Amino acid sequence: MTAADLSVLQPELNPQTHKRFLNVGCGSAGPERLPECFQQDDWQQIRLDINPAVKPDIIADLTDLSAVQTGSIDAVYSSHNIEHLYLHETTVALQEMHRVIRPGGFLLITLPDLQQVAKLIAQGKLSEEIYRSPVGPITPLDMLYGHQASVERGNTYMAHKCGFDKHSLSTALLNAGFHEVRVTADAHYNLWGYAQKG
């Protein structure tokens, strides 16, 4: 979908009641997997992914969101995708997310917490199932390098090329131009970052 194509979504919105969020790297997950804040009726989701097989609204790489107009999105949601980029590409991707968010809008981002993963590896649990996800069992090896069973089946989009801990994610978000940044770890080996555009 091009920027011109994206504009056709706008007339359907009542600016008094609807906000738009861009779900980058949306994958095939349904709306029930979204954070509760984005499941409210006043939010409209625009799905973006590099993989055409998941039928996104916009097919694009995270490092090139040129199909989305500057300052046209109220929020960006990024769930488990920037770790699929090389580290130098994450800088560009986060800057692109910052660019498309309107002033006062925000980014909500989640990804594996490498500090927690490293603790599991140090305990000798590299190949142990830690939890079960919709794609199957997940091990610390999967959290570190990407879901190995998916990669084996040819879905190389699932490979991980970098990673973050709380400090490095906070720094990356600030360097991308966000002003208010909060990063926390949850009990399920994930980081959650909230970053507001000033």
Side-chain angles (χ1 to χ4, degrees):
M1 180 176 280
T2 66
D5 295 330
L6 183 57
S7 67
V8 302
L9 297 173
Q10 296 173 5
E12 300 171 12
L13 296 175
N14 177 343
Q16 302 302 319
T17 59
H18 283 88
K19 298 173 283 188
R20 298 190 306 163
F21 76 95
L22 184 66
N23 185 353
V24 296
C26 62
S28 57
E32 71 283 352
R33 301 274 317 265
L34 291 170
E36 189 175 329
C37 64
F38 291 129
Q39 293 186 31
Q40 307 305 311
D41 289 340
D42 59 342
W43 283 102
Q44 180 190 26
Q45 176 181 199
I46 300 168
R47 299 171 64 252
L48 181 145
D49 204 287
I50 193 172
N51 185 357
V54 301
K55 300 181 179 174
D57 300 309
I58 304 169
I59 298 171
D61 185 291
L62 293 180
T63 61
D64 180 8
L65 302 181
S66 58
V68 184
Q69 190 175 22
T70 298
S72 64
I73 298 295
D74 295 286
V76 170
Y77 177 52
S78 170
S79 176
H80 288 267
N81 54 59
I82 68 166
E83 67 273 18
H84 298 276
L85 302 173
Y86 290 111
L87 189 59
H88 68 278
E89 293 176 314
T90 65
T91 302
V92 178
L94 291 173
Q95 289 171 342
E96 276 288 87
M97 293 178 205
H98 179 271
R99 178 187 64 78
V100 303
I101 297 171
R102 65 163 179 80
F106 66 93
L107 165 66
L108 182 62
I109 187 169
T110 183
L111 58 150
D113 178 3
L114 289 194
Q115 189 169 12
Q116 290 187 72
V117 174
K119 287 178 183 176
L120 292 170
I121 294 169
Q123 294 167 5
K125 298 179 179 180
L126 180 68
S127 300
E128 287 186 26
E129 179 180 336
I130 302 302
Y131 67 92
R132 190 163 290 265
S133 80
V135 295
I138 301 296
T139 68
L141 188 67
D142 294 312
M143 291 184 253
L144 189 60
Y145 292 112
H147 188 243
Q148 298 303 293
S150 295
V151 173
E152 182 180 354
R153 290 191 299 269
N155 186 357
T156 56
Y157 295 125
M158 294 297 282
H160 291 182
K161 299 173 182 172
C162 73
F164 293 86
D165 61 11
K166 279 195 277 192
H167 175 73
S168 62
L169 181 60
S170 295
T171 300
L173 291 169
L174 289 168
N175 288 343
F178 291 99
H179 288 87
E180 181 186 342
V181 171
R182 286 175 277 168
V183 176
T184 187
D186 69 17
H188 305 287
Y189 315 102
N190 299 305
L191 292 174
W192 285 87
Y194 169 88
Q196 189 167 32
K197 181 172 179 175

